Amino acid sequence: MQKIDLPRAYDPKAYEDAIYTEWENSGFFNPDNLAATGEPFAILMPPPNVTGVLHLGHALENTLMDSKARFERMLGKKVVIIPGTDHAALPTQARVENNLREAGMKNPRQELGREELLRQIREYADQSRSTILSQIRKMGTSCDWSRLAYTFDEPRSKIVNDVFVRMFNDGLIYRGYRVVNWSVLGQSTASDDEVEYVEQEATLYTFRYSANFPIPIATVLPETKLGDTAVAVHPDDARYNKYIGQTFTVDVGAEKSLKIHVLGDKSVDSAYGTGALGVTPAHSATDFEMYQQHPEIGLIPVIGADGKMTEQAGKSYAGLPVKQAREKFVTWLKDQGLLIKEEKITHNVAVSDRFKDEIWPIPMEQWFIDVNKQVPGKGRSLRVLMREAVTTGLGGDKPKKISVAPDRFTKSYLHWIDHLHDWCISRQIWWGHRIPVWTRGEEVYSGTTAPEGEGWKQDDDTLDTWFSSGMWTFSTLGWPDNADFKTFHPTAWMQMGYEIIYLWMARMILFSAYLLDDISFKQVYIHGILRDKDGRKFSKSMKNGIDPLEVIAEYGTDALRLSVIKGIAPGNDARFSYEKIKDSRNFINKLWNVSRYILSMEDKEVPTEPSFADRWILSRLQTVTKNVTKDFENDQFSRVAEQLYDFVWHELADWYLEAAKVAINPKVLRTVLETVLKLMHPVAPFVTEAIWKSMGHAGKDLLLVAEWPKADTKLIDAAAEEKFQKMQELIVHIRNIRAEYQVAAGNWVDVWAETDLGPEVTPVVEKLARVKLHTGMAAEENSIDALAGGVRLMIPLAGLMDVQREAERLSIQQAELIQQIESIKRRLSTEDYVKKAPPALIERDRSQLASKEEELKVVQEKITHVEKLSF
RNA sequence: GGGCACGUAGCUCACUUGGUUAGAGCGCCACAUUGACAUUGUGGAGGUAACAAGUUCGAAUCUUGUCGUGCCCACCA
């Protein structure tokens, strides 16, 4: 045996960093160094937010996109993964401000001022960014670092401004006075998608505005009622519909009176509460819509951006925090005898997903993208374009259709599109792209730079962070003139978690459709989220987080990669546990040892003819190659991992390597190993590259760019597969029959098994018997004879079941067989079955029946035998 | 309230167009052990496929209903 110079166990730490550096230095991460004839294939890395460090979800994403990219690269395509990060405007500023608050600062914006706070945020973001970039390297992602992008860098910012100006000039961006989601703590708006709902106990107050007002109403927010301008009732409600159209003047005890119009509106549920709805246009999005339909009712903002009551709420309320105003108003209602009922209910409170404070609907001037207006030159609205991109293709052009996998997410996307409101893109925070609009008196100018002349003032607001991420697929490629843009857009493949379909995917579709008249990517793969072993989300507060870097340090990157994609179904959440990582680590080690063994056999002589075992493994390898290729093409990553696991462990290692010990064929061993390494490289890049190198591949002959194997149908050998399978059955058969002889033969059993497999098989059976039937412990006593038509073995009795257990097992087996036989007989005597079922099926039944009857006979003989033994 | 999923072994999950005896990993039990690998090997136990009805020669798979679980959206006056 050749000296083995590889360690007994694979140690990832000894290889990973060096291999990554070698890949990087090879230049093959950059598509410019790949064959120019290859089909372009671009994947844009979903840019991680610079709000912190990477977690397991990022490990999953990196594994998915990198596996896909490595597969496509080996197919010969011109592959690029463009890495990048997202400045994540509001989340990042929120994170830094929250940190400052925890450190004792009351109002960071006031205390630090714009410049200093921005400096601190930038510092935090830069640090987070560099951590993230090194983590991406650790995960083995084969991205082209020369194309690194950042949503807030110079080229990206320029594109953001260009696009804004263009949309502004096209009339798609407008400034409007609307009710928006306002976070008092964050001092900024939030889009609908940035609002979470938390269930809370609250008091529902039922009251009348005044004694002369005929309709009672109910509310959990009494203080906002100081801004009511109408009451809406269902037009068919006999109790109230006589008042529709009337206007009442009511005194609400705040040194002012309110004019309340009574409106008829079909959306009012007359069965809920009092059956009437107090309309507060300024502090409810739905009431605001009602106001837009009936502008005559007016709008009275009573809560200000500072979370306190405004002057318009009345003198005695102005300046009060809302909670105090609520108490004051309720007390007043009680004193006036207007409060009819108080009851505890649970309801959903809107909360900012970043600042965690309660969201108040407040009317304000904000910037919006109009999703319903016709896009100049296209004759269709953005909403329609966003719909077309996943249904008919843009403008009915089929190649301009995005395929979403799994398809069910298309449905929820369309559902969302149908309920889409204009997108509020302005934020009142400082970290982000400043809105490129300048005003001077009544003049408004939008441009990429400040207009000429004195007295212009730039808008103070910044853009929603998704405004810039929505351009990611083309801003990274250097739209509009860069060669990359022409080569790689639309990008080939995209992946994301289902939780950002609306936030991100929708916005990418929007911008590409509007600006490029194209889709942003051809395929999108939606994945679920990783949960802990009990199905809970990973979160800081639960302290159940798993740090990918720690996993990598202990188990290696390949083990991490395998464990995150094993057992995931597209779009479904998956559970993640240390058991999975260990299992993957063990498998990586198995592959390592398989390779180590194969490499130690390199100097063995080559037999003149491949054995039936050689032909078997080569044949199986073709099937596996075919299936793995297909699964990669269809993004069935989990199945890729499973198939390779089964093949390497349970076919190659468990059967072939043992069988091959009889007649070692280094050439076949090497072919099989090389193919396996190629097939596994996309999911386990490091260990495969390490083995590849120790096979003598050097310099630029990297597995990274090795050619993907093609299944060779000439090597598919049904005869060899059948022979091998029969041999496996023979081993099982021998194991089963030895029980009959155990007493008769003492410590050793002399087993005779008939077979028509021929003399070639005999030595293999003997070899396998050592492993599978525990004959190895006394090999010299083991004897085997290759007799005509059979195999004769001496097998030790250690480890056999006791007679009683065997008897029980046999009687169960007998009962099952009888049942099965009867069921087949019953089926075969069904007229319809015989008439309608495919003939092959009936044939199968017949032969099965025969073999089962045969089996039953054997079992019954055994039972007789065991019964004798038990005396 | 509207929508989308799901319910398969103790646990986590597969089963690609309905067709042999529903599979795998973990866990459990028994056995083995200087040979590439204890990060190992060989076996075993364990399932009325949530329940019910229907379609079919045949259903885990298709239809309907019931029960249960998860998620998304809307609303919560």
Side-chain angles (χ1 to χ4, degrees):
Chain A
M1 193 185 292
Q2 189 180 311
K3 190 180 162 291
I4 299 166
D5 55 0
L6 294 173
R8 289 163 65 90
Y10 172 61
D11 177 19
K13 281 199 285 294
Y15 300 92
E16 291 184 353
D17 288 348
I19 286 177
Y20 194 88
T21 306
E22 200 176 339
W23 286 333
E24 216 181 326
N25 293 340
S26 76
F28 292 133
F29 287 177
N30 184 335
D32 300 341
N33 300 322
L34 299 171
T37 49
E39 185 189 324
F41 191 95
I43 298 178
L44 268 304
M45 177 181 293
N49 287 352
V50 292
T51 46
V53 296
L54 299 191
H55 51 71
L56 272 183
H58 295 105
L60 172 63
E61 294 213 323
N62 275 276
T63 305
L64 291 171
M65 74 182 139
D66 190 52
S67 301
K68 184 78 176 175
R70 284 176 187 268
F71 167 70
E72 300 286 348
R73 192 183 290 119
M74 288 172 82
L75 283 178
K77 292 189 188 167
K78 224 168 121 170
V79 172
V80 64
I81 300 180
I82 299 185
T85 46
D86 195 318
H87 71 292
L90 196 140
T92 309
Q93 179 160 349
R95 173 65 58 86
V96 173
E97 283 186 19
N98 286 342
N99 288 350
L100 289 169
R101 270 189 215 99
E102 272 168 32
M105 202 175 281
K106 276 220 168 102
N107 190 335
R109 281 184 223 180
Q110 219 166 44
E111 287 171 51
L112 295 177
R114 187 162 188 142
E115 217 154 283
E116 173 58 15
L117 182 57
L118 274 177
R119 194 194 62 77
Q120 291 201 16
I121 298 171
R122 190 171 301 116
E123 195 178 307
Y124 176 89
D126 286 348
Q127 204 185 344
S128 167
R129 231 161 80 76
S130 73
T131 309
I132 287 170
L133 297 179
S134 76
Q135 284 180 308
I136 292 169
R137 284 184 157 82
K138 280 277 181 192
M139 288 174 187
T141 311
S142 59
C143 41
D144 180 4
W145 294 103
S146 72
R147 286 173 163 85
L148 180 65
Y150 179 41
T151 50
F152 208 16
D153 61 16
E154 184 83 16
R156 261 48 66 177
S157 300
K158 184 182 178 304
I159 289 171
V160 164
N161 283 337
D162 286 347
V163 173
F164 184 99
V165 172
R166 210 152 146 164
M167 291 185 100
F168 182 88
N169 292 335
D170 273 347
L172 295 171
I173 288 179
Y174 68 92
R175 189 149 203 230
Y177 186 68
R178 294 290 155 80
V179 169
V180 293
N181 305 306
W182 184 259
S183 157
V184 172
L185 187 61
Q187 282 295 299
S188 180
T189 55
S191 72
D192 293 344
D193 303 299
E194 289 164 333
V195 174
E196 291 168 354
Y197 290 89
V198 181
E199 224 174 54
Q200 257 180 28
E201 280 240 313
T203 310
L204 180 68
Y205 302 93
T206 305
F207 71 100
R208 282 175 206 273
Y209 295 113
S210 66
N212 69 334
F213 193 77
I215 308 170
I217 57 163
T219 183
V220 288
L221 305 170
E223 68 281 6
T224 65
K225 299 289 113 180
L226 293 165
D228 277 15
T229 56
V231 163
V233 299
H234 197 279
D236 299 336
D237 192 326
R239 293 171 294 176
Y240 308 130
N241 58 9
K242 55 180 175 277
Y243 303 113
I244 291 174
Q246 297 187 26
T247 304
F248 294 80
T249 302
V250 298
D251 170 25
V252 287
E255 305 86 35
K256 68 166 196 170
S257 52
L258 293 174
K259 271 193 178 166
I260 304 288
H261 300 70
V262 181
L263 303 173
D265 194 302
K266 283 185 180 159
S267 67
V268 175
D269 177 1
S270 37
Y272 190 93
T274 63
L277 168 69
V279 181
T280 321
H283 299 292
S284 154
T286 47
D287 293 2
F288 185 83
E289 277 174 33
M290 229 174 262
Y291 156 75
Q292 285 182 309
Q293 281 165 28
H294 307 276
E296 72 278 7
I297 66 174
L299 169 150
I300 309 170
V302 293
I303 300 173
D306 55 1
K308 291 179 180 159
M309 304 304 283
T310 62
E311 293 289 332
Q312 295 191 70
K315 271 208 187 78
S316 57
Y317 285 92
L320 280 185
V322 285
K323 296 271 147 84
Q324 282 178 35
R326 178 176 306 173
E327 281 169 34
K328 188 177 160 95
F329 187 60
V330 170
T331 309
W332 181 82
L333 285 173
K334 275 186 193 156
D335 292 347
Q336 301 293 312
L338 295 169
L339 190 64
I340 298 163
K341 200 162 60 172
E342 279 181 73
E343 54 187 316
K344 292 276 177 212
I345 57 160
T346 56
H347 79 147
N348 287 332
V349 176
V351 170
S352 155
D353 67 347
R354 295 296 169 181
F355 289 100
K356 303 295 174 197
D357 67 326
E358 200 169 323
I359 290 284
W360 292 95
I362 288 181
M364 283 185 171
E365 288 280 348
Q366 298 289 344
W367 292 95
F368 294 89
I369 288 185
D370 193 326
V371 294
N372 294 314
K373 195 171 174 177
Q374 305 259 307
V375 178
K378 298 207 167 60
R380 309 190 297 295
S381 65
L382 290 172
R383 183 201 298 276
V384 172
L385 290 172
M386 288 164 87
R387 182 170 249 291
E388 284 178 357
V390 299
T391 51
T392 58
L394 289 171
D397 189 1
K398 274 224 173 112
K400 289 186 182 173
K401 178 187 158 157
I402 296 170
S403 98
V404 182
D407 186 46
R408 69 187 138 96
F409 290 108
T410 305
K411 285 185 209 160
S412 57
Y413 170 81
L414 290 174
H415 188 257
W416 178 83
I417 291 280
D418 290 340
H419 294 88
L420 189 59
H421 295 284
D422 285 357
W423 172 18
C424 175
I425 52 170
S426 46
R427 297 291 180 272
Q428 289 65 50
I429 53 164
W430 297 339
W431 178 245
H433 300 100
R434 191 114 171 235
I435 288 182
V437 172
W438 285 260
T439 48
R440 182 169 67 182
E442 290 295 298
E443 290 176 276
V444 179
Y445 172 83
S446 176
T448 47
T449 51
E452 307 257 321
E454 294 291 305
W456 289 97
K457 189 181 171 300
Q458 185 171 9
D459 197 291
D460 274 330
D461 290 356
T462 50
L463 286 165
D464 179 9
T465 197
W466 298 103
F467 191 88
S468 52
S469 350
M471 299 171 202
W472 191 237
T473 59
F474 56 85
S475 70
T476 47
L477 291 170
W479 172 81
D481 309 314
N482 199 299
D484 270 3
F485 172 69
K486 286 163 191 157
T487 310
F488 291 112
H489 205 279
T491 62
W493 194 82
M494 175 58 82
Q495 43 113 41
M496 72 186 72
Y498 57 71
E499 74 277 11
I500 54 170
I501 291 176
Y502 311 137
L503 287 166
W504 194 36
M505 184 177 95
R507 270 89 196 235
M508 285 194 281
I509 292 174
L510 183 155
F511 284 119
S512 290
Y514 163 69
L515 203 64
L516 315 173
D517 198 19
D518 209 342
I519 50 177
S520 31
F521 33 79
K522 293 169 194 158
Q523 279 182 46
V524 59
Y525 172 92
I526 308 289
H527 64 77
I529 58 176
L530 290 178
R531 296 168 175 276
D532 74 2
K533 67 179 171 47
D534 301 317
R536 297 172 305 181
K537 274 191 180 179
F538 287 112
S539 75
K540 283 212 176 73
S541 54
M542 297 265 258
K543 297 201 166 116
N544 60 350
I546 293 180
D547 177 1
L549 284 198
E550 274 173 31
V551 173
I552 287 173
E554 194 177 347
Y555 298 94
T557 302
D558 294 321
L560 174 66
R561 288 170 64 117
L562 276 177
S563 59
V564 292
I565 59 165
K566 219 164 95 176
I568 61 163
N572 287 356
D573 291 353
R575 300 196 186 200
F576 187 77
S577 62
Y578 277 101
E579 282 76 34
K580 264 189 176 175
I581 309 174
K582 267 190 204 159
D583 182 41
S584 303
R585 189 266 319 261
N586 295 355
F587 173 55
I588 296 289
N589 193 57
K590 189 77 184 177
L591 175 71
W592 179 257
N593 275 294
V594 164
S595 311
R596 206 156 70 94
Y597 173 73
I598 290 177
L599 294 180
S600 73
M601 294 298 156
E602 296 260 83
D603 58 351
K604 285 283 189 299
E605 255 176 66
V606 182
T608 46
E609 285 279 309
S611 71
F612 78 106
D614 295 332
R615 296 199 311 276
W616 172 74
I617 196 73
L618 287 172
S619 179
R620 289 289 306 132
L621 188 59
Q622 307 317 310
T623 310
V624 169
T625 301
K626 202 177 74 194
N627 292 340
V628 167
T629 306
K630 201 179 83 196
D631 288 339
F632 261 126
E633 281 165 356
N634 297 329
D635 299 340
Q636 300 286 339
F637 299 100
S638 183
R639 247 194 287 177
V640 166
E642 267 166 48
Q643 278 197 75
L644 289 168
Y645 182 100
D646 277 347
F647 178 73
V648 171
W649 205 318
H650 299 308
E651 296 192 72
L652 179 58
D654 287 354
W655 287 96
Y656 175 68
L657 288 189
E658 297 301 335
K661 283 173 183 171
V662 172
I664 290 161
N665 191 330
K667 233 179 102 187
V668 173
L669 286 171
R670 194 180 170 93
T671 309
V672 172
L673 180 59
E674 285 206 342
T675 310
V676 164
L677 290 178
K678 288 177 184 174
L679 294 175
M680 282 197 61
H681 181 73
V683 288
F686 288 109
V687 68
T688 49
E689 189 76 76
I691 299 167
W692 182 258
K693 288 167 79 67
S694 56
M695 291 178 82
H697 298 278
K700 290 224 163 181
D701 182 11
L702 291 165
L703 187 52
L704 173 71
V705 285
E707 197 185 333
W708 186 257
K710 276 198 188 72
D712 183 350
T713 45
K714 286 199 297 289
L715 289 174
I716 292 183
D717 187 337
E721 289 203 29
E722 197 191 337
K723 193 164 187 174
F724 202 88
Q725 198 193 331
K726 276 195 173 159
M727 188 205 63
Q728 289 174 314
E729 283 165 8
L730 181 64
I731 303 263
V732 173
H733 179 60
I734 292 169
R735 192 180 60 227
N736 287 343
I737 62 175
R738 72 179 170 183
E740 298 172 45
Y741 297 93
Q742 60 178 335
V743 173
N747 285 331
W748 291 83
V749 59
D750 185 2
V751 171
W752 163 248
E754 271 180 49
T755 168
D756 56 358
L757 292 174
E760 185 187 18
V761 171
T762 312
V764 178
V765 171
E766 190 223 10
K767 198 84 199 172
L768 286 167
R770 288 177 198 280
V771 182
K772 311 278 178 190
L773 305 176
H774 312 141
T775 62
M777 70 179 198
E780 66 284 354
E781 288 183 55
N782 186 46
S783 75
I784 179 152
D785 288 316
L787 303 174
V791 183
R792 183 192 179 106
L793 284 169
M794 289 293 293
I795 299 177
L797 286 169
L800 292 182
M801 276 186 252
D802 63 51
V803 172
Q804 200 157 351
R805 255 178 94 181
E806 182 66 7
E808 277 169 30
R809 201 179 65 88
L810 286 170
S811 87
I812 292 170
Q813 207 182 336
Q814 176 182 242
E816 278 174 2
L817 277 169
I818 290 171
Q819 219 174 11
Q820 285 161 17
I821 287 167
E822 272 171 11
S823 135
I824 297 173
K825 276 185 178 163
R826 208 177 311 128
R827 192 156 63 227
L828 283 172
S829 62
T830 310
E831 207 175 308
D832 278 332
Y833 176 69
V834 179
K835 250 193 291 186
K836 292 180 189 168
L841 209 63
I842 294 169
E843 194 41 50
R844 194 185 62 201
D845 272 349
R846 294 229 164 92
S847 69
Q848 207 175 87
L849 184 61
S851 77
K852 282 202 189 301
E853 279 172 342
E854 192 61 34
E855 214 178 310
L856 181 63
K857 225 186 283 170
V858 173
V859 168
Q860 279 165 347
E861 272 170 30
K862 280 188 196 170
I863 288 173
T864 327
H865 188 80
V866 170
E867 271 167 4
K868 263 188 243 157
L869 292 179
S870 58
F871 284 115

